Coordinates of all heavy atoms in Angstrom, one line a residue:
M96 N 0.7 -21.0 2.2 CA 0.9 -20.5 0.8 C -0.4 -19.7 0.4 O -1.5 -20.2 0.4 CB 1.2 -21.6 -0.1 CG 1.3 -21.1 -1.6 SD 3.0 -20.6 -1.9 CE 2.9 -20.0 -3.5
S97 N -0.2 -18.4 0.1 CA -1.3 -17.6 -0.2 C -1.4 -17.5 -1.8 O -0.5 -17.7 -2.5 CB -1.0 -16.2 0.3 OG -1.7 -15.2 -0.4
N98 N -2.6 -17.2 -2.2 CA -2.8 -17.0 -3.6 C -2.9 -15.5 -4.0 O -3.5 -15.1 -5.0 CB -4.2 -17.7 -4.1 CG -5.4 -17.2 -3.4 OD1 -5.2 -16.3 -2.5 ND2 -6.5 -17.6 -3.8
R99 N -2.2 -14.8 -3.2 CA -2.1 -13.3 -3.3 C -1.2 -13.1 -4.6 O -0.2 -13.7 -4.7 CB -1.4 -12.8 -2.1 CG -1.6 -11.3 -1.8 CD -1.1 -10.9 -0.5 NE -2.1 -11.2 0.5 CZ -1.8 -11.9 1.7 NH1 -0.7 -12.3 2.0 NH2 -2.8 -12.1 2.5
P100 N -1.6 -12.1 -5.4 CA -0.8 -11.8 -6.6 C 0.6 -11.3 -6.2 O 0.7 -10.6 -5.2 CB -1.6 -10.8 -7.4 CG -2.7 -10.3 -6.5 CD -2.8 -11.3 -5.4
E101 N 1.6 -11.5 -7.0 CA 2.9 -11.0 -6.7 C 3.0 -9.5 -7.1 O 2.6 -9.0 -8.1 CB 3.9 -11.7 -7.6 CG 5.4 -11.5 -7.4 CD 5.8 -11.9 -6.0 OE1 5.3 -13.0 -5.5 OE2 6.7 -11.3 -5.4
A102 N 3.5 -8.7 -6.1 CA 3.6 -7.2 -6.3 C 4.8 -6.9 -7.3 O 5.8 -7.6 -7.2 CB 3.9 -6.6 -5.0
N103 N 4.6 -5.9 -8.1 CA 5.7 -5.5 -9.0 C 6.8 -4.7 -8.2 O 7.9 -4.6 -8.6 CB 5.1 -4.6 -10.1 CG 4.1 -5.3 -10.9 OD1 2.9 -5.3 -10.7 ND2 4.6 -6.0 -12.0
L104 N 6.3 -4.1 -7.1 CA 7.2 -3.3 -6.3 C 6.8 -3.4 -4.8 O 5.6 -3.5 -4.6 CB 7.1 -1.8 -6.7 CG 8.0 -0.8 -6.0 CD1 9.5 -1.1 -6.3 CD2 7.7 0.6 -6.5
Q105 N 7.7 -3.5 -3.9 CA 7.4 -3.5 -2.5 C 8.1 -2.4 -1.8 O 9.3 -2.1 -2.1 CB 7.8 -4.9 -1.9 CG 7.1 -6.0 -2.4 CD 7.4 -7.3 -1.7 OE1 8.1 -7.3 -0.6 NE2 7.0 -8.4 -2.2
T106 N 7.5 -1.8 -0.8 CA 8.1 -0.7 -0.1 C 7.7 -0.9 1.4 O 6.6 -1.2 1.7 CB 7.7 0.7 -0.6 OG1 8.4 1.7 0.1 CG2 6.2 1.0 -0.5
D107 N 8.7 -0.8 2.3 CA 8.5 -1.0 3.7 C 8.6 0.4 4.4 O 9.6 1.1 4.4 CB 9.6 -1.9 4.3 CG 9.4 -2.2 5.7 OD1 8.5 -1.6 6.4 OD2 10.0 -3.2 6.2
L108 N 7.5 0.8 4.9 CA 7.3 2.2 5.5 C 7.2 2.0 7.0 O 6.6 2.9 7.7 CB 6.2 2.9 4.9 CG 6.2 3.0 3.3 CD1 5.0 3.8 2.8 CD2 7.5 3.8 2.9
S109 N 7.6 0.9 7.6 CA 7.6 0.7 9.0 C 8.2 1.8 9.8 O 9.3 2.3 9.4 CB 8.2 -0.6 9.4 OG 7.6 -1.7 8.8
G110 N 7.6 2.3 10.9 CA 8.1 3.3 11.7 C 7.7 4.7 11.3 O 8.0 5.7 12.0
L111 N 7.1 4.9 10.1 CA 6.7 6.2 9.6 C 5.2 6.4 10.0 O 4.4 5.5 10.0 CB 6.8 6.3 8.1 CG 8.2 6.2 7.5 CD1 8.1 6.3 6.0 CD2 9.1 7.2 8.1
N112 N 4.9 7.6 10.4 CA 3.5 8.0 10.8 C 3.0 9.0 9.8 O 3.7 9.6 9.1 CB 3.5 8.6 12.2 CG 3.9 7.6 13.3 OD1 3.5 6.4 13.1 ND2 4.6 8.0 14.3
C113 N 1.6 9.0 9.8 CA 0.9 9.9 8.9 C 1.5 11.3 8.9 O 1.8 11.8 10.0 CB -0.6 9.9 9.4 SG -1.7 10.8 8.3
P114 N 1.6 11.9 7.8 CA 1.2 11.5 6.4 C 2.2 10.8 5.6 O 2.0 10.6 4.4 CB 0.8 12.9 5.8 CG 1.8 13.8 6.3 CD 2.1 13.3 7.8
L115 N 3.4 10.5 6.2 CA 4.5 10.0 5.4 C 4.2 8.7 4.6 O 4.6 8.5 3.5 CB 5.8 9.8 6.3 CG 6.4 11.1 6.7 CD1 7.6 10.9 7.7 CD2 7.0 11.8 5.5
P116 N 3.5 7.7 5.2 CA 3.2 6.5 4.4 C 2.4 6.8 3.2 O 2.7 6.2 2.1 CB 2.4 5.6 5.4 CG 2.8 6.0 6.8 CD 3.1 7.5 6.6
I117 N 1.5 7.7 3.2 CA 0.7 8.0 2.0 C 1.6 8.7 1.0 O 1.5 8.4 -0.2 CB -0.6 8.9 2.4 CG1 -1.5 8.1 3.3 CG2 -1.2 9.5 1.2 CD1 -2.3 7.0 2.5
L118 N 2.4 9.7 1.5 CA 3.2 10.4 0.6 C 4.3 9.5 -0.1 O 4.5 9.6 -1.3 CB 4.0 11.6 1.3 CG 3.1 12.7 1.9 CD1 3.9 13.6 2.8 CD2 2.3 13.4 0.8
R119 N 4.9 8.6 0.6 CA 5.8 7.7 0.1 C 5.1 6.7 -0.9 O 5.7 6.3 -1.9 CB 6.6 6.9 1.2 CG 7.3 7.7 2.1 CD 8.7 8.1 1.6 NE 9.4 9.0 2.4 CZ 10.2 8.7 3.5 NH1 10.4 7.5 3.8 NH2 10.8 9.7 4.2
T120 N 3.9 6.3 -0.5 CA 3.1 5.4 -1.4 C 2.8 6.1 -2.7 O 3.0 5.4 -3.8 CB 1.9 4.9 -0.7 OG1 2.2 4.2 0.4 CG2 1.0 4.0 -1.6
K121 N 2.4 7.3 -2.7 CA 2.1 8.1 -3.9 C 3.3 8.1 -4.8 O 3.2 7.9 -6.0 CB 1.7 9.5 -3.4 CG 0.9 10.3 -4.5 CD 0.4 11.5 -3.8 CE -0.4 12.4 -4.8 NZ -0.9 13.6 -4.2
K122 N 4.5 8.4 -4.2 CA 5.8 8.4 -5.0 C 6.1 7.0 -5.6 O 6.5 7.0 -6.7 CB 6.9 8.9 -4.0 CG 8.1 9.2 -4.7 CD 9.2 9.8 -3.7 CE 10.4 10.2 -4.5 NZ 11.4 10.8 -3.6
A123 N 5.9 6.0 -4.8 CA 6.2 4.6 -5.3 C 5.2 4.3 -6.4 O 5.6 3.7 -7.5 CB 6.1 3.6 -4.2
L124 N 3.9 4.6 -6.3 CA 3.0 4.4 -7.4 C 3.3 5.1 -8.7 O 3.1 4.6 -9.8 CB 1.6 4.8 -6.9 CG 0.9 3.8 -6.0 CD1 -0.4 4.4 -5.4 CD2 0.5 2.5 -6.7
A125 N 3.9 6.2 -8.5 CA 4.3 7.0 -9.7 C 5.3 6.3 -10.6 O 5.4 6.5 -11.8 CB 4.9 8.4 -9.3
A126 N 6.1 5.4 -10.0 CA 7.1 4.6 -10.7 C 6.5 3.5 -11.4 O 7.2 2.8 -12.2 CB 8.2 4.2 -9.7
L127 N 5.3 3.1 -11.1 CA 4.7 1.9 -11.7 C 3.8 2.3 -13.0 O 3.4 3.4 -13.1 CB 3.8 1.2 -10.7 CG 4.4 0.7 -9.5 CD1 3.4 0.1 -8.5 CD2 5.4 -0.4 -9.9
E128 N 3.6 1.3 -13.8 CA 2.7 1.4 -15.0 C 1.3 1.1 -14.5 O 1.1 0.4 -13.5 CB 3.1 0.3 -16.0 CG 4.5 0.4 -16.5 CD 4.8 1.5 -17.4 OE1 3.9 1.8 -18.3 OE2 5.8 2.2 -17.3
S129 N 0.3 1.6 -15.2 CA -1.0 1.3 -14.9 C -1.3 -0.2 -14.9 O -0.8 -1.0 -15.7 CB -1.9 1.9 -16.0 OG -3.3 1.7 -15.7
G130 N -2.0 -0.6 -13.8 CA -2.3 -2.1 -13.6 C -1.3 -2.8 -12.8 O -1.6 -3.9 -12.4
Q131 N -0.1 -2.2 -12.6 CA 0.9 -2.9 -11.7 C 0.5 -2.8 -10.3 O -0.3 -2.0 -9.8 CB 2.3 -2.3 -12.0 CG 2.8 -2.7 -13.4 CD 4.3 -2.3 -13.5 OE1 4.7 -1.2 -13.2 NE2 5.1 -3.3 -14.0
L132 N 1.1 -3.7 -9.5 CA 0.8 -3.8 -8.0 C 2.0 -3.3 -7.2 O 3.1 -3.6 -7.4 CB 0.5 -5.3 -7.7 CG -0.7 -5.9 -8.3 CD1 -0.8 -7.4 -8.1 CD2 -2.0 -5.2 -7.8
L133 N 1.6 -2.6 -6.1 CA 2.5 -2.1 -5.1 C 2.1 -2.7 -3.8 O 1.0 -2.7 -3.4 CB 2.4 -0.6 -5.0 CG 3.2 0.1 -3.8 CD1 4.7 -0.1 -4.0 CD2 2.9 1.5 -3.7
Q134 N 3.1 -3.4 -3.1 CA 2.8 -3.9 -1.8 C 3.5 -2.9 -0.8 O 4.7 -2.6 -0.9 CB 3.4 -5.3 -1.6 CG 3.1 -5.8 -0.2 CD 3.5 -7.3 0.0 OE1 3.2 -8.1 -0.9 NE2 4.2 -7.5 1.1
V135 N 2.7 -2.4 0.2 CA 3.2 -1.5 1.2 C 3.1 -2.1 2.6 O 2.1 -2.7 2.9 CB 2.4 -0.2 1.2 CG1 3.0 0.8 2.1 CG2 2.4 0.4 -0.2
T136 N 4.2 -2.0 3.4 CA 4.2 -2.5 4.8 C 4.3 -1.3 5.7 O 5.2 -0.4 5.5 CB 5.4 -3.4 5.0 OG1 5.4 -4.4 4.1 CG2 5.4 -4.0 6.4
C137 N 3.4 -1.2 6.6 CA 3.4 0.0 7.5 C 3.2 -0.5 9.0 O 2.7 -1.6 9.2 CB 2.2 0.9 7.2 SG 2.3 1.6 5.6
T138 N 3.5 0.3 9.9 CA 3.3 0.1 11.3 C 2.3 1.1 12.0 O 1.8 0.8 13.1 CB 4.6 0.1 12.2 OG1 5.3 1.3 11.9 CG2 5.5 -1.1 11.8
D139 N 2.0 2.1 11.3 CA 1.1 3.2 11.9 C -0.4 2.6 11.9 O -0.9 2.2 10.9 CB 1.1 4.4 11.0 CG 0.2 5.6 11.5 OD1 -0.5 5.3 12.4 OD2 0.3 6.6 10.9
P140 N -1.0 2.5 13.1 CA -2.3 1.9 13.2 C -3.4 2.7 12.4 O -4.5 2.2 12.1 CB -2.6 2.0 14.7 CG -1.5 2.6 15.3 CD -0.4 2.9 14.4
A141 N -3.1 3.9 12.0 CA -4.1 4.7 11.2 C -4.0 4.4 9.7 O -5.0 4.8 9.0 CB -3.8 6.2 11.4
T142 N -3.0 3.6 9.3 CA -2.9 3.4 7.9 C -4.0 2.6 7.2 O -4.4 2.9 6.1 CB -1.5 2.7 7.5 OG1 -1.3 1.6 8.3 CG2 -0.4 3.7 7.7
P143 N -4.7 1.7 7.9 CA -5.8 1.0 7.1 C -6.9 2.0 6.7 O -7.4 2.0 5.6 CB -6.4 0.0 8.2 CG -5.2 -0.3 9.0 CD -4.4 1.0 9.1
T144 N -7.3 2.9 7.6 CA -8.2 4.0 7.2 C -7.7 4.9 6.2 O -8.3 5.3 5.2 CB -8.6 4.8 8.5 OG1 -9.0 3.9 9.5 CG2 -9.7 5.7 8.3
D145 N -6.4 5.3 6.4 CA -5.7 6.3 5.5 C -5.6 5.7 4.1 O -5.9 6.4 3.1 CB -4.3 6.6 6.0 CG -4.3 7.4 7.3 OD1 -5.4 7.9 7.7 OD2 -3.3 7.5 7.9
F146 N -5.2 4.4 4.0 CA -5.1 3.9 2.6 C -6.4 3.6 1.9 O -6.5 3.8 0.7 CB -4.2 2.6 2.7 CG -2.8 2.8 2.7 CD1 -2.1 3.0 3.9 CD2 -2.1 2.9 1.5 CE1 -0.7 3.2 3.9 CE2 -0.7 3.2 1.5 CZ 0.0 3.3 2.7
A147 N -7.4 3.3 2.6 CA -8.8 3.1 2.1 C -9.2 4.4 1.5 O -9.7 4.5 0.3 CB -9.7 2.6 3.1
A148 N -9.0 5.5 2.2 CA -9.4 6.9 1.8 C -8.5 7.3 0.6 O -9.0 7.9 -0.4 CB -9.3 7.9 2.9
F149 N -7.2 7.1 0.7 CA -6.3 7.4 -0.4 C -6.7 6.8 -1.7 O -6.7 7.4 -2.8 CB -4.9 7.0 0.0 CG -3.9 7.1 -1.1 CD1 -3.4 8.3 -1.5 CD2 -3.4 6.0 -1.7 CE1 -2.4 8.4 -2.5 CE2 -2.5 6.0 -2.7 CZ -2.0 7.3 -3.2
C150 N -7.0 5.5 -1.6 CA -7.3 4.7 -2.9 C -8.6 5.2 -3.5 O -8.7 5.4 -4.7 CB -7.3 3.2 -2.6 SG -5.7 2.6 -2.4
K151 N -9.6 5.5 -2.6 CA -10.9 6.0 -3.1 C -10.7 7.3 -3.8 O -11.3 7.6 -4.8 CB -11.8 6.1 -1.9 CG -13.3 6.3 -2.3 CD -14.2 6.2 -1.0 CE -15.6 6.4 -1.5 NZ -16.5 6.3 -0.3
Q152 N -9.9 8.2 -3.2 CA -9.6 9.5 -3.6 C -8.8 9.5 -5.0 O -9.1 10.3 -5.8 CB -8.9 10.3 -2.6 CG -8.9 11.8 -2.7 CD -8.3 12.5 -1.5 OE1 -7.5 11.9 -0.8 NE2 -8.7 13.7 -1.3
T153 N -7.9 8.6 -5.1 CA -7.0 8.7 -6.3 C -7.4 7.7 -7.4 O -6.8 7.8 -8.5 CB -5.6 8.3 -5.8 OG1 -5.6 6.9 -5.3 CG2 -5.0 9.3 -4.8
G154 N -8.3 6.8 -7.1 CA -8.8 5.9 -8.2 C -7.9 4.7 -8.3 O -8.2 3.8 -9.1
N155 N -6.9 4.5 -7.4 CA -6.1 3.3 -7.4 C -6.9 2.3 -6.6 O -7.8 2.6 -5.8 CB -4.8 3.5 -6.7 CG -3.9 4.5 -7.5 OD1 -3.5 4.2 -8.6 ND2 -3.6 5.7 -6.9
E156 N -6.7 1.0 -6.8 CA -7.5 0.0 -6.2 C -6.8 -0.7 -5.0 O -5.6 -1.1 -5.2 CB -7.9 -1.1 -7.2 CG -8.8 -2.2 -6.6 CD -9.1 -3.4 -7.4 OE1 -8.7 -3.3 -8.6 OE2 -9.6 -4.4 -6.9
L157 N -7.4 -0.6 -3.9 CA -6.9 -1.4 -2.7 C -7.3 -2.8 -2.9 O -8.4 -3.2 -2.5 CB -7.4 -0.8 -1.4 CG -6.9 -1.4 -0.1 CD1 -5.3 -1.3 -0.1 CD2 -7.4 -0.7 1.1
V158 N -6.5 -3.6 -3.5 CA -6.8 -5.0 -3.8 C -7.0 -5.8 -2.5 O -7.9 -6.6 -2.5 CB -5.7 -5.6 -4.7 CG1 -5.9 -7.1 -5.0 CG2 -5.5 -4.8 -6.0
E159 N -6.1 -5.6 -1.6 CA -6.2 -6.4 -0.4 C -5.4 -5.7 0.7 O -4.4 -5.0 0.5 CB -5.5 -7.8 -0.7 CG -5.8 -8.8 0.3 CD -5.3 -10.2 -0.1 OE1 -4.8 -10.4 -1.3 OE2 -5.2 -11.1 0.7
H160 N -5.8 -5.9 2.0 CA -4.9 -5.5 3.1 C -5.1 -6.6 4.2 O -6.1 -7.2 4.3 CB -5.3 -4.1 3.6 CG -6.5 -3.9 4.4 ND1 -7.7 -3.8 3.8 CD2 -6.7 -4.0 5.7 CE1 -8.6 -3.7 4.7 NE2 -8.1 -3.8 5.9
W161 N -4.0 -6.7 4.9 CA -3.9 -7.8 6.0 C -2.9 -7.4 7.0 O -2.1 -6.4 6.8 CB -3.6 -9.1 5.3 CG -2.3 -9.3 4.7 CD1 -1.2 -9.9 5.3 CD2 -1.8 -8.9 3.4 NE1 -0.1 -9.9 4.4 CE2 -0.5 -9.2 3.3 CE3 -2.5 -8.2 2.4 CZ2 0.3 -8.9 2.1 CZ3 -1.7 -7.9 1.2 CH2 -0.4 -8.3 1.1
Q162 N -2.9 -8.1 8.1 CA -1.9 -7.8 9.2 C -1.0 -9.1 9.3 O -1.5 -10.2 9.2 CB -2.6 -7.6 10.5 CG -3.1 -6.2 10.6 CD -3.7 -5.9 12.0 OE1 -5.0 -6.0 12.1 NE2 -2.9 -5.6 13.0
A163 N 0.3 -8.9 9.6 CA 1.2 -9.9 9.8 C 2.3 -9.4 10.7 O 2.8 -8.3 10.5 CB 1.8 -10.5 8.5
D164 N 2.7 -10.1 11.8 CA 3.8 -9.7 12.6 C 3.6 -8.3 13.2 O 4.6 -7.6 13.2 CB 5.1 -9.9 12.0 CG 5.3 -11.3 11.5 OD1 4.9 -12.3 12.2 OD2 5.9 -11.5 10.4
G165 N 2.4 -7.9 13.5 CA 2.2 -6.6 14.0 C 2.3 -5.4 13.0 O 2.3 -4.3 13.4
K166 N 2.3 -5.8 11.7 CA 2.4 -4.8 10.7 C 1.2 -4.9 9.8 O 0.5 -5.9 9.7 CB 3.7 -5.0 9.8 CG 4.9 -4.9 10.6 CD 6.2 -4.9 9.8 CE 7.4 -4.7 10.7 NZ 8.6 -4.5 9.9
F167 N 0.9 -3.8 9.1 CA -0.2 -3.7 8.2 C 0.4 -3.7 6.8 O 1.3 -3.0 6.5 CB -1.0 -2.4 8.4 CG -1.5 -2.2 9.8 CD1 -0.7 -1.5 10.8 CD2 -2.7 -2.7 10.2 CE1 -1.2 -1.3 12.0 CE2 -3.2 -2.5 11.5 CZ -2.5 -1.8 12.4
L168 N -0.2 -4.6 6.0 CA 0.3 -4.8 4.6 C -0.9 -4.4 3.7 O -2.0 -4.8 3.9 CB 0.8 -6.2 4.4 CG 2.1 -6.5 5.2 CD1 1.7 -7.2 6.4 CD2 3.1 -7.2 4.4
F169 N -0.5 -3.8 2.6 CA -1.5 -3.3 1.6 C -1.0 -3.7 0.2 O 0.2 -3.6 -0.1 CB -1.7 -1.8 1.7 CG -2.0 -1.3 3.0 CD1 -1.0 -1.0 3.9 CD2 -3.3 -1.2 3.4 CE1 -1.3 -0.5 5.2 CE2 -3.7 -0.8 4.7 CZ -2.7 -0.4 5.6
L170 N -2.0 -4.1 -0.6 CA -1.6 -4.4 -2.0 C -2.5 -3.5 -2.8 O -3.8 -3.5 -2.8 CB -2.0 -5.9 -2.3 CG -1.4 -6.4 -3.6 CD1 0.1 -6.3 -3.7 CD2 -1.9 -7.9 -3.8
I171 N -1.9 -2.6 -3.5 CA -2.5 -1.5 -4.3 C -2.2 -1.6 -5.7 O -1.1 -1.8 -6.1 CB -2.1 -0.1 -3.8 CG1 -2.4 0.0 -2.3 CG2 -2.7 1.0 -4.6 CD1 -1.7 1.3 -1.6
Q172 N -3.3 -1.6 -6.6 CA -3.1 -1.7 -8.0 C -3.3 -0.3 -8.6 O -4.2 0.5 -8.3 CB -4.2 -2.6 -8.6 CG -4.0 -2.7 -10.1 CD -4.9 -3.8 -10.8 OE1 -6.0 -3.9 -10.3 NE2 -4.4 -4.5 -11.7
K173 N -2.2 0.1 -9.3 CA -2.2 1.5 -9.9 C -3.3 1.6 -11.0 O -3.5 0.7 -11.8 CB -0.9 1.8 -10.5 CG -0.8 3.2 -11.1 CD 0.6 3.6 -11.5 CE 0.5 5.0 -12.1 NZ 1.9 5.5 -12.3
R174 N -4.0 2.7 -11.0 CA -5.1 2.9 -12.0 C -4.5 3.2 -13.3 O -3.4 3.6 -13.5 CB -6.1 4.0 -11.5 CG -5.4 5.4 -11.5 CD -6.5 6.4 -11.2 NE -5.9 7.7 -10.8 CZ -5.7 8.6 -11.7 NH1 -5.9 8.5 -12.9 NH2 -5.1 9.8 -11.3

C-alpha cells in the first residue's frame, strides 16, 4: 500500500512515442483545475527525461515518477 496521493485524472499513453505522450498530457492537464493531480502511464523509455523537462518548462510539478510492470508512471500537479 502506497501513500501516494490519489490522482484526479488518469491517462494511459502506453504504446505512444515522443512527442505524443507530452501532447496528450498537456491536453489532459488543460481539463484539470490548478492544484489537481494527473497520473500518466507511458511505455516510451524517453518519457522520464521528457516529463521532467516538460514540467520544468510549464511550471507544473512532477510530484513523483516510478516504474511498474515495465511502464513509466508520472504524477503531475497542475500549476
Side-chain angles (χ1 to χ4, degrees):
M96 177 84 186
S97 159
N98 59 355
R99 200 171 276 133
E101 187 65 34
N103 299 91
L104 181 64
Q105 295 187 9
T106 185
D107 188 344
L108 305 177
S109 298
L111 298 179
N112 292 324
C113 186
L115 288 173
I117 294 292
L118 296 174
R119 299 275 173 91
T120 296
K121 199 171 181 177
K122 191 172 182 179
L124 282 168
L127 295 177
E128 302 285 320
S129 180
Q131 287 189 313
L132 294 169
L133 172 66
Q134 182 177 312
V135 184
T136 304
C137 298
T138 51
D139 182 351
T142 51
T144 308
D145 293 347
F146 275 91
F149 168 76
C150 287
K151 191 173 183 179
Q152 196 173 23
T153 59
N155 296 296
E156 184 187 351
L157 182 56
V158 177
E159 196 174 348
H160 75 275
W161 66 100
Q162 280 183 263
D164 302 322
K166 296 186 179 190
F167 302 93
L168 294 99
F169 305 89
L170 195 59
I171 300 170
Q172 184 173 33
K173 183 173 180 172
R174 66 176 166 91

